[in-house]
Amino acid sequence: MAEILNVEDPDDPRLHDYTDLTDVELRRRREPAEGLFIAEGEKVIRRAGEAGYAMRSMLLSAKWVEPMRDVLDTLTVPVYVVSPELAERVTGYHVHRGALASMRRKPLPTAGELLGTARRVAVMEAVNDHTNIGAIFRSAAALGMDAVLLSPDCADPLYRRSVKVSMGAVFSVPYARLDQWPGSLAAVREAGFDLLALTPDAAATSLDEAAPHRRERVALMLGAEGDGLSRRALAAADERVRIPMSHGVDSLNVGAAAAVAFYAVTAGRPRD
């Protein structure tokens, strides 16, 4: 059973994992270095546990102790109970969901390990907006993508905002970071994947014509909001594909475009 501790000092060193959660640069450095990430809200905390992530501690407002009792009864880590005001002073924002957990990261698989069994893969280049990362992972999980590969400069899928936006879907889709960009794409092709670069370019092949759902193995490449895929990434692709647009709209944001493209890639595949 968890050790439930009431804490009244915002400078208590035991709350170190939860300090300055709104300082993005600080947390981006600290969390991977310290082997942790923050899960926010009851559903996300439960999904992290179900996905096999071990917990370091929890930070709860008093009203969340009983709703989380079944989880607490399985834990042997400290649970810090604080007032909403103290939680805000520690974290830097109003924790309206009332429940945070510090979780231990797992070692990431290699790209080669994922490519060995996957058939439908999303490849992201320089997607560094955490909201977009979360949205893309949620669509990847919902629409049956097998894995996600990240360029070295993509944002952290386990950053609190990414996890929250994905509603914990980042725990459902295995992912790996590519060592070199775009050099590592050669290994994706060598594993038998067609590299399809998603672009709004009118000269690209429409997704309907490309028929990615009929191909044996597909790696769908997505670029950052606004800039899209770099010239080097586009040059490394086997084919450029687009989502046809209407009413003078030139493109969708990357989160919406990913959802549409994932459906086109996975259409007809059995769902788990």
Side-chain angles (χ1 to χ4, degrees):
M1 183 178 297
E3 183 181 12
I4 298 178
L5 304 166
N6 290 297
V7 179
E8 298 179 355
D9 180 3
D11 296 320
D12 192 313
R14 294 175 296 180
L15 304 184
H16 174 73
D17 285 1
Y18 305 96
T19 57
D20 300 316
L21 293 185
T22 57
D23 189 330
V24 178
E25 288 305 315
L26 172 64
R27 299 302 301 196
R28 284 174 65 179
R29 295 192 304 271
R30 265 191 59 192
E31 292 185 9
E34 296 178 19
L36 67 91
F37 69 93
I38 299 297
E40 179 179 5
E42 178 185 5
K43 289 182 179 179
V44 172
I45 291 171
R46 290 181 184 276
R47 287 173 182 171
E50 291 165 0
Y53 287 92
M55 192 178 295
R56 292 161 57 113
S57 67
M58 291 186 72
L59 183 74
L60 299 178
S61 58
K63 70 176 184 179
W64 278 101
V65 171
E66 287 310 312
M68 298 293 292
R69 178 62 67 180
D70 62 313
V71 175
L72 302 185
D73 288 345
T74 68
L75 300 178
T76 57
V77 300
V79 176
Y80 305 117
V81 178
V82 300
S83 68
E85 294 77 18
L86 189 141
E88 183 170 355
R89 290 180 64 185
V90 171
T91 64
Y93 73 105
H94 177 61
V95 187
H96 67 279
R97 293 177 184 263
L100 296 169
S102 175
M103 313 295 296
R104 297 188 188 278
R105 291 176 180 252
K106 299 178 184 179
L108 286 182
T110 66
E113 289 170 340
L114 298 185
L115 293 172
T117 57
R119 290 187 56 210
R120 300 291 185 261
V121 173
V123 182
M124 292 191 233
E125 179 191 31
V127 179
N128 46 37
D129 180 277
H130 293 100
T131 297
N132 286 335
I133 286 278
I136 292 169
F137 265 87
R138 188 172 185 182
S139 294
L143 296 169
M145 299 296 285
D146 298 320
V148 174
L149 301 179
L150 305 172
S151 70
D153 52 352
C154 274
D156 180 9
L158 294 183
Y159 181 71
R160 177 178 58 88
R161 180 66 178 167
S162 301
V163 174
K164 181 179 177 181
V165 169
S166 79
M167 291 299 294
V170 294
F171 310 137
S172 302
V173 183
Y175 70 94
R177 286 197 181 270
L178 298 169
D179 295 332
Q180 300 177 3
W181 187 265
S184 293
L185 291 175
V188 180
R189 182 181 292 105
E190 289 169 4
F193 286 82
D194 292 340
L195 289 168
L196 303 184
L198 191 64
T199 172
D201 186 347
T205 306
S206 74
L207 274 170
D208 287 342
E209 294 173 354
H213 61 295
R214 295 177 183 166
R215 304 189 186 207
E216 184 64 25
R217 286 185 160 183
V218 172
L220 181 71
M221 298 164 57
L222 303 163
E225 190 80 36
D227 294 336
L229 290 165
S230 68
R231 291 182 180 179
R232 293 195 304 156
L234 289 169
D238 296 311
E239 188 173 355
R240 302 182 187 190
V241 297
R242 61 180 174 84
I243 300 169
M245 298 284 109
S246 300
H247 300 291
V249 177
D250 60 353
S251 65
L252 299 172
N253 70 55
V254 67
V260 173
F262 292 165
Y263 181 78
V265 166
T266 61
R269 293 189 67 201
R271 295 287 188 264
D272 293 333

